[in-house]
Amino acid sequence: MTTILYTHDDCDGHVTPQGHPERVERLGAIRAALADYDALDRREAPLGNPSDVLRCHPEDYLDRVRDAVPDEGWVSLDADTQLSPGSLTAAWRGVGGCVAAVDAVVAGDAASAFVACRPPGHHAERATAMGFCLFGNIAIAAKHALDHHGLSRVAVVDFDVHHGNGTQDLLWDEARALFVSSHQMPLYPGTGSPHERGAHDNVMNLPLAPMTGGAEMRRLYRDEVIPALDDFAPELVLISAGFDAHRDDPLANLNWTEDDFAWVTGAICDVADAHARGRVVSTLEGGYDLHALGNSAAAHVTVLMERGG
Ligand SMILES: [Zn+2]
């Protein structure tokens, strides 16, 4: 059993305006950091299908995104979220990569998978693109695992420095999913208070004060996140892997290191080992310092490979 890496060159066709932090070079940094990982099972992320997106987003939203794609230049869907001519194809790769990753891991082709695609997904709400995100890739993956594969309980852990408001919105009413997000607060998008608990007590938000480092993060995961995940006993564990809680990240103020990303990955793998036959699907969200992003993603994938091997 190995770890699959899903990515696609089409994701480089999502081009953002000069100075935008969510830029083409991000995937290049990850590819370079993983270049000599010979044991990775590298696969092209397939294009997703409208039926995948429609598990989470209404048809008129999909039509609106489709119709907005420009022939050249950029169109803004919100202050932070732009479409270039290649953006929709890139987004389909993210959706398709996440769905294919669930299929492969549930089928037992691999213990785990990491989907390195962009644009990211965890800020996209049902009918609102925001925060660099078009489609809720990880929520779509969760719904696919539940509805297509018939799993009963899927956990989504989001350790991106920003609250996964989109995933929370898409899974709010989904009693078969537990969504856990740790994030800096106050910070964009402003949601993610512990009082937001989901329609079935299925949302758990853990805000972290600016400057929170790895020791406090580990305590929080050990004392609160892992016990909640163990109680839920997921059959599949999904990860929204943003690496912008790194101390070098320019968009936020937490002080995590590569070792902290490795530790939290291992802690989540422990849950998967205990309840989910080790099955983990992780997808890239944020991370905007290229050096920190490459190293942190490599630390994350290293643990996935060690645990799945
Ligand atoms: Zn983020």
Side-chain angles (χ1 to χ4, degrees), residues 199-211:
H200 308 279
D201 213 18
N202 58 311
V203 170
M204 182 177 188
N205 283 309
L206 300 124
L208 301 167
M211 308 311 288

Side-chain angles (χ1 to χ4, degrees), residues 2 15 20 30 68 75 101 123 177 228 247 254 275 295 303 307:
T2 183
V15 180
H20 196 291
I30 293 174
V75 163
H123 292 306
R247 62 185 174 189
L254 296 191
H275 307 285
N295 288 343
V303 174
R307 298 299 295 263

